[in-house]
Amino acid sequence: MAPSVAVENLNPKVLKCEYAVRGEIVIHAQRLQQQLQTQPGSLPFDEILYCNIGNPQSLGQQPVTFFREVLALCDHPSLLEKEETKSLFSADAISRAKRILSTIPGRATGAYSHSQGIKGLRDAIAAGIALRDGFPANADDIFVTDGASPGVHMMMQLLLRDEKDGILCPIPQYPLYSASIALHGGTLIPYYLDEKTGWGLEISELKKQLEDARSKGIDVRALVVINPGNPTGQVLAEDNQCDIVRFCKNEGLVLLADEVYQENIYVDDKKFNSFKKIARSIGYGEDDLPLVSFQSVSKGYYGECGKRGGYMEITGFSASVREQVYKIASVNLCSNITGQILASLIMNPPKEGDESYAAYKAEKDGILQSLARRAKALEDAFNNLEGISCNKAEGAMYLFPQIHLPQKAIEAAKAAKKAPDAFYALRLLEATGIVVVPGSGFGQVPGTWHIRCTILPQEDKIPAVITRFKAFHEAFMAEYRD
Amino acid sequence: MAPSVAVENLNPKVLKCEYAVRGEIVIHAQRLQQQLQTQPGSLPFDEILYCNIGNPQSLGQQPVTFFREVLALCDHPSLLEKEETKSLFSADAISRAKRILSTIPGRATGAYSHSQGIKGLRDAIAAGIALRDGFPANADDIFVTDGASPGVHMMMQLLLRDEKDGILCPIPQYPLYSASIALHGGTLIPYYLDEKTGWGLEISELKKQLEDARSKGIDVRALVVINPGNPTGQVLAEDNQCDIVRFCKNEGLVLLADEVYQENIYVDDKKFNSFKKIARSIGYGEDDLPLVSFQSVSKGYYGECGKRGGYMEITGFSASVREQVYKIASVNLCSNITGQILASLIMNPPKEGDESYAAYKAEKDGILQSLARRAKALEDAFNNLEGISCNKAEGAMYLFPQIHLPQKAIEAAKAAKKAPDAFYALRLLEATGIVVVPGSGFGQVPGTWHIRCTILPQEDKIPAVITRFKAFHEAFMAEYRD
């Protein structure tokens, strides 16, 4: 009998889905890492350096002490009754843990919560949003999620009926969006960011792609904007954001705002503005625009990827639509409480006057300033190489340099049945142990080739990364120069 | 302009999905709870008692100390360097936390892990499975998940192409299955458990429903078995399990084994056997049967629902199919690390000789013995009431009594536009504050009516629950007696 489960009889949407951030190159890197363990010295490098994914703590970034103190106390509340605890934990971590526990019914951090998240934690998140934006936020609009990804899936699940429903997505994009649209059977409508203007988002391009999609009978449901950009690192200007909001209102689109890098801004002349703040600033209320903002504990200066915390703030949906979102959330019962607590902490960190404030601020500033220096060092290094041009990382955690590959390299890639940027990334990995993601995993203007490289290796490793990269690139170009 | 998002233009699969465990009755209970806070004394009871969901810690069950010690140390590893820690934590919790941290690359509990979960933790889980079953288990077969639910969704997403793909599910069933099948656009093929034989699972019934579905052109992909049963509480006998395994092999079905209640057995003459153990015992290997076992940290004696930990063990899938499962898992990056650690702990708890063993065993036995007493007390109470018959809870966390409703009550329900059991459950809630789930949320033989009630109220509250329930039921029957 033929096997009852085979690739041929799986859901074709699953087969279609791609996620390069953990794709072929990374799987090959994991094999090489095993080889380094079993046969040390067998490769031209000593370690694999994962620059494929925004995962700061995997590369040595330390967690923020205050956050972890609170988590430990909430995990094991009987510590709060012990005298020794006062010498092991800061006073404000102890009082914060007590306050958090008092908002959890029965102080039960091991119980399923309300499917949107614990009310007291959502109150803290809403207060943090209101303080950030200067406009009110409501705990009932918050859905706490296991990282931002499940929120994105929930929205795609809600909006996409079939392949005639489309979602406008930036190209290049974070491939969660293309993967989720594929899994839910919709159509990705690309709009191209303009590399020449620092990955600018042009309204004329949005209009053109929207009209083109509509002319093909696609019902375009939503616009995804990633700000700060991933993989492109640009930070949108305020007037550009106003135009985007007006465009969504005029065209009847849901605005899906990926704002997970809101704390990661590295240039003085740019500032993060949430789309909700922008919408309220120009006088748009709930009825004008359905808007979803995604936030995550994985990014920012905290980088708590493994804790899987995050939330989405939903405004402008009718009560009956919201009920449907609640229902989908309730099928999975709730997100993890540790992540819920952490989501409340990042939106309500220590304040001036708190015992932990000075240490907290030093940790936060230290991480963000170091990331800015690393971004600049890597950007300069890329721009100094033959055939590479790299926009500034104004924000987020990535550089997305364009590699102007010689024709011979493109032909060699073709012979190896690889996309040219995947061929380059694979050769880079095999020569240096540096893992990057080929631009083809994010989408790019046809005929251009890029890589995404995080700015996350620890600062003392950056010179070595640059040296290794430079040596590889020069050898590669020498080998394939036309 | 019409709103761009309205119930009328949402994904119809979302609209179709139902999840009664957090449905109408529970939403009404939350409203009443708010009323109790704002207007104390305005209702005939002082508190809402949530018996709708297997959520032990929400009703006062304390977490297992050893598990929480380890979690706190892993959340804040710098505690391990402090002298005071030795007096605050047990020695084996300290050594376990150190061992766990040593298996996490960079000791980074805040980093995304391998998308199947941290390898060292999967090794511990596999070792626990092997010890439980007496057959080998492999870390590469383990996918650690945020509770069992995401694993179930992943399988449905993989297997279901369209409404011509069917999944055999028990009726009554845990509504995660019907919800997930609806969300993924497949067809639920019901097989009825036999209430008269203590919710027996008859192979003849499986065959009949399978053939019936096939005659309608349905490609039946998998069989769901929940053992111990939810909501029905039966524990399958070994020879019955052998027959089920043979049936799946002969009919080319994936066996989806929901084994999350494996620790919850309350009768001496029944014992939990994993389906993998059964399959291997009768000589079936990987090639004979694709088999997925779901486990969760939310159930058992630990009841750590809020931590969202769990895993699925996948055997009998080809490498190329497994790659697809890995790809879907990787789109969400990984499950939360706290839940991952806990999943390793429940499968590898303290052993005789460890410092914590005596305390651990006392906590575990105390909880399980108390659950057995509570199950018996509630079962007896139900069976003592007019028009109620209730099977024994051999395992799991629920009783599923049949309520023989008088015709007048059925007509009153019809007038109120409710299913008769929903009408009964709503009246119960309004009279007593006790929240149960109507049987219609799980499925039942047409014309029969049930409720699902957890056995989880703390033991000192059980007499009051019984008294309140009895008073309500007698009044209800008096009101509606034919």
Side-chain angles (χ1 to χ4, degrees):
Chain A
M1 197 161 77
S4 50
V5 189
V7 169
E8 297 69 39
N9 62 24
L10 297 183
N11 178 356
K13 294 173 193 164
V14 167
L15 300 178
K16 197 182 159 196
C17 158
E18 285 181 25
Y19 188 68
V21 172
R22 289 226 160 156
E24 184 201 356
I25 307 265
V26 185
I27 291 167
H28 186 52
Q30 288 165 346
R31 275 193 297 263
L32 294 180
Q33 190 165 30
Q34 284 190 323
Q35 185 182 331
L36 281 176
Q37 277 162 11
T38 52
Q39 304 159 254
S42 64
L43 291 171
F45 44 84
D46 303 328
E47 63 166 347
I48 302 286
L49 199 65
Y50 288 99
C51 300
N52 58 303
I53 188 168
N55 193 9
Q57 294 189 30
S58 75
L59 295 177
Q61 181 176 309
Q62 292 305 302
V64 172
T65 306
F66 175 81
F67 296 163
R68 293 304 192 93
E69 287 184 314
V70 175
L71 291 186
L73 292 167
C74 290
D75 264 345
H76 192 36
S78 68
L79 290 174
L80 292 166
E81 294 147 28
K82 304 283 174 60
E83 196 54 33
E84 296 95 320
T85 298
K86 289 183 194 151
S87 67
L88 279 176
F89 293 84
S90 62
D92 52 338
I94 292 174
S95 61
R96 181 70 73 94
K98 285 182 178 165
R99 199 176 342 144
I100 287 172
L101 288 168
S102 75
T103 72
I104 301 180
R107 297 162 56 92
T109 56
Y112 294 128
S113 72
H114 186 285
S115 295
Q116 289 184 233
I118 292 161
K119 174 66 164 56
L121 301 178
R122 286 186 281 128
D123 285 333
I125 291 169
I129 295 171
L131 195 66
R132 179 193 71 194
D133 291 347
F135 290 94
N138 186 338
D140 293 340
D141 295 340
I142 308 295
F143 286 73
V144 190
T145 48
D146 290 310
S149 306
V152 171
H153 286 308
M154 248 188 265
M155 283 300 124
M156 296 304 172
Q157 191 158 47
L158 190 77
L159 294 173
L160 295 172
R161 291 162 293 189
D162 55 39
E163 72 285 356
K164 300 303 266 177
D165 279 334
I167 307 284
L168 271 163
C169 283
I171 295 296
Q173 53 106 26
Y174 174 51
L176 166 65
Y177 293 97
S178 50
S180 189
I181 292 168
L183 285 173
H184 294 100
T187 296
L188 186 150
I189 312 298
Y191 66 90
Y192 285 88
L193 302 174
D194 186 1
E195 186 165 9
K196 285 191 303 298
T197 60
W199 301 112
L201 195 169
E202 304 296 334
I203 300 295
S204 56
E205 167 72 5
L206 289 180
K207 277 202 176 119
K208 184 181 138 229
Q209 299 294 352
L210 176 67
E211 277 160 25
D212 185 53
R214 283 182 175 159
S215 75
K216 291 173 184 153
I218 303 283
D219 187 348
V220 181
R221 309 296 313 270
L223 168 68
V224 171
V225 179
I226 312 175
N227 179 45
N230 174 7
T232 41
Q234 82 285 23
V235 178
L236 297 179
E238 202 171 326
D239 55 348
N240 193 196
Q241 289 186 274
C242 291
D243 290 342
I244 293 166
V245 166
R246 286 191 196 100
F247 174 78
C248 286
K249 175 176 158 67
N250 293 338
E251 301 292 351
L253 302 177
V254 179
L255 176 50
L256 299 174
D258 181 333
E259 301 183 324
V260 303
Y261 296 99
Q262 56 188 263
E263 303 266 10
N264 297 95
I265 310 275
Y266 308 122
V267 289
D268 292 334
D269 59 337
K270 287 287 181 74
K271 171 174 178 308
F272 170 75
N273 293 295
S274 78
F275 273 104
K276 189 172 145 229
K277 174 184 167 183
I278 296 292
R280 298 295 174 267
S281 304
I282 60 173
Y284 284 8
E286 289 264 344
D287 292 344
D288 291 299
L289 186 74
L291 169 60
V292 184
S293 165
F294 301 99
Q295 164 66 319
S296 168
V297 306
S298 303
K299 309 302 171 186
Y301 56 90
Y302 19 83
E304 292 278 18
C305 307
K307 298 299 181 188
R308 313 310 289 125
Y311 69 80
M312 53 181 176
E313 183 191 18
I314 298 182
T315 51
F317 280 24
S318 68
S320 53
V321 171
R322 189 102 70 121
E323 269 172 32
Q324 297 296 323
V325 182
Y326 176 82
K327 186 177 69 182
I328 313 177
S330 77
V331 174
N332 282 343
L333 297 164
C334 66
S335 65
N336 85 87
I337 306 294
T338 304
Q340 291 192 26
I341 292 172
L342 204 39
S344 83
L345 293 175
I346 64 157
M347 297 306 286
N348 185 17
K351 301 275 186 296
E352 227 168 324
D354 294 344
E355 180 182 313
S356 289
Y357 182 71
Y360 158 75
K361 190 164 184 312
E363 291 176 358
K364 171 181 171 175
D365 292 349
I367 291 166
L368 290 174
Q369 288 161 7
S370 168
L371 285 173
R373 287 191 298 268
R374 289 180 249 173
K376 187 78 182 69
L378 287 167
E379 175 206 327
D380 289 347
F382 283 132
N383 280 323
N384 278 330
L385 292 175
E386 177 193 0
I388 298 192
S389 58
C390 183
N391 278 323
K392 193 183 279 187
E394 299 176 329
M397 293 181 170
Y398 315 99
L399 289 163
F400 197 65
Q402 183 169 164
I403 319 278
H404 305 270
L405 292 171
Q407 196 53 38
K408 260 197 209 162
I410 292 171
E411 276 152 27
K414 206 172 167 185
K417 298 200 168 112
K418 303 274 177 214
D421 49 5
F423 177 75
Y424 179 89
L426 211 54
R427 290 286 303 271
L428 172 68
L429 168 62
E430 289 177 341
T432 65
I434 300 171
V435 191
V436 298
V437 186
S440 42
F442 304 91
Q444 52 202 347
V445 170
T448 68
W449 308 108
H450 299 76
I451 55 169
R452 188 185 81 164
C453 179
T454 71
I455 58 169
L456 296 175
Q458 286 296 287
E459 207 161 354
D460 57 358
K461 290 201 173 172
I462 294 284
V465 171
I466 290 173
T467 306
R468 280 151 76 181
F469 194 96
K470 185 167 182 280
F472 159 74
H473 183 75
E474 287 170 354
F476 184 92
M477 293 301 276
E479 183 175 351
Y480 293 107
R481 192 170 288 116
D482 291 321
Chain B
M1 197 159 80
S4 50
V5 189
V7 169
E8 296 70 38
N9 61 25
L10 297 183
N11 178 355
K13 294 172 192 162
V14 167
L15 300 178
K16 197 180 160 198
C17 157
E18 285 181 23
Y19 188 69
V21 171
R22 290 227 157 152
E24 181 200 358
I25 308 264
V26 185
I27 291 168
H28 186 51
Q30 287 166 344
R31 275 194 296 264
L32 294 179
Q33 190 165 28
Q34 283 192 321
Q35 183 181 334
L36 281 175
Q37 276 161 11
T38 53
Q39 303 159 256
S42 65
L43 291 170
F45 44 84
D46 303 328
E47 62 166 349
I48 302 288
L49 201 63
Y50 288 99
C51 300
N52 57 301
I53 187 165
N55 193 9
Q57 294 190 30
S58 75
L59 295 176
Q61 182 177 308
Q62 291 305 302
V64 173
T65 306
F66 175 81
F67 295 164
R68 293 305 191 96
E69 287 183 314
V70 176
L71 291 186
L73 292 168
C74 290
D75 264 345
H76 192 36
S78 68
L79 289 173
L80 292 166
E81 293 146 31
K82 304 283 174 62
E83 196 53 35
E84 297 96 319
T85 298
K86 290 184 192 150
S87 66
L88 279 177
F89 292 85
S90 63
D92 52 338
I94 291 173
S95 60
R96 182 69 73 96
K98 285 182 179 166
R99 195 173 350 140
I100 287 173
L101 288 169
S102 76
T103 71
I104 301 180
R107 296 161 56 92
T109 55
Y112 294 127
S113 72
H114 187 285
S115 295
Q116 288 183 234
I118 291 162
K119 173 65 165 53
L121 301 178
R122 286 186 281 129
D123 285 334
I125 291 169
I129 294 171
L131 194 68
R132 179 194 71 195
D133 290 347
F135 291 93
N138 185 339
D140 293 339
D141 296 341
I142 308 295
F143 285 72
V144 190
T145 48
D146 291 309
S149 306
V152 171
H153 286 307
M154 247 187 269
M155 283 300 125
M156 297 304 173
Q157 191 159 46
L158 191 76
L159 295 173
L160 295 172
R161 291 162 293 189
D162 55 39
E163 71 284 355
K164 300 304 269 179
D165 278 335
I167 307 284
L168 271 163
C169 282
I171 297 294
Q173 51 107 25
Y174 173 51
L176 166 65
Y177 294 97
S178 50
S180 190
I181 293 168
L183 285 174
H184 293 102
T187 295
L188 187 150
I189 312 297
Y191 66 90
Y192 286 88
L193 302 174
D194 186 2
E195 186 164 8
K196 287 190 304 296
T197 60
W199 301 111
L201 193 170
E202 304 295 337
I203 300 294
S204 56
E205 167 72 4
L206 289 180
K207 278 205 175 116
K208 180 178 142 235
Q209 299 294 353
L210 176 68
E211 278 159 24
D212 186 52
R214 284 181 173 160
S215 75
K216 291 173 184 153
I218 303 282
D219 186 347
V220 181
R221 309 296 312 268
L223 168 68
V224 171
V225 179
I226 310 174
N227 179 45
N230 174 8
T232 42
Q234 83 285 21
V235 178
L236 297 180
E238 202 170 327
D239 56 349
N240 194 194
Q241 288 185 273
C242 293
D243 290 342
I244 293 165
V245 166
R246 285 190 197 100
F247 174 78
C248 286
K249 175 177 157 68
N250 293 339
E251 300 293 350
L253 301 177
V254 180
L255 177 51
L256 299 174
D258 181 334
E259 302 183 323
V260 302
Y261 297 99
Q262 57 189 264
E263 303 267 9
N264 297 96
I265 309 274
Y266 308 122
V267 289
D268 293 332
D269 59 339
K270 287 287 179 77
K271 169 173 179 309
F272 170 76
N273 293 296
S274 78
F275 272 103
K276 187 171 145 226
K277 174 184 169 182
I278 295 292
R280 299 294 174 267
S281 305
I282 60 174
Y284 284 9
E286 288 265 344
D287 293 343
D288 292 299
L289 186 73
L291 168 60
V292 185
S293 165
F294 302 98
Q295 165 67 319
S296 169
V297 306
S298 304
K299 309 302 169 190
Y301 57 90
Y302 19 86
E304 293 276 17
C305 306
K307 299 298 181 189
R308 312 310 289 122
Y311 69 79
M312 52 181 179
E313 184 192 16
I314 298 183
T315 51
F317 280 26
S318 69
S320 53
V321 171
R322 188 102 69 119
E323 269 172 31
Q324 297 297 322
V325 182
Y326 176 82
K327 185 176 70 179
I328 313 179
S330 78
V331 175
N332 283 341
L333 297 165
C334 66
S335 66
N336 83 87
I337 306 295
T338 305
Q340 291 191 27
I341 293 172
L342 205 39
S344 83
L345 293 174
I346 66 159
M347 297 307 287
N348 185 17
K351 301 277 184 296
E352 227 168 326
D354 294 341
E355 181 183 312
S356 290
Y357 182 71
Y360 158 77
K361 189 164 188 311
E363 289 176 359
K364 171 180 172 174
D365 292 350
I367 290 166
L368 289 174
Q369 288 162 8
S370 169
L371 284 173
R373 289 191 298 269
R374 289 180 249 172
K376 187 81 182 71
L378 286 167
E379 175 205 326
D380 289 348
F382 283 132
N383 280 322
N384 277 330
L385 292 174
E386 177 194 1
I388 297 192
S389 58
C390 184
N391 278 324
K392 192 184 282 189
E394 298 176 329
M397 294 182 169
Y398 316 98
L399 290 162
F400 197 66
Q402 182 169 167
I403 319 278
H404 305 269
L405 291 171
Q407 196 53 38
K408 259 197 207 163
I410 291 169
E411 277 152 27
K414 205 172 169 185
K417 297 196 167 114
K418 303 271 178 217
D421 47 6
F423 178 75
Y424 179 89
L426 210 54
R427 290 287 304 270
L428 172 68
L429 168 62
E430 288 176 341
T432 65
I434 299 171
V435 190
V436 298
V437 186
S440 41
F442 305 89
Q444 51 201 347
V445 170
T448 69
W449 308 107
H450 300 77
I451 55 169
R452 187 185 81 163
C453 179
T454 72
I455 58 170
L456 296 175
Q458 287 297 286
E459 207 160 355
D460 57 358
K461 288 200 172 171
I462 295 284
V465 172
I466 290 173
T467 306
R468 279 150 79 181
F469 193 98
K470 183 166 185 282
F472 159 75
H473 184 76
E474 286 171 353
F476 184 93
M477 294 301 276
E479 183 176 349
Y480 292 106
R481 192 170 286 114
D482 292 322

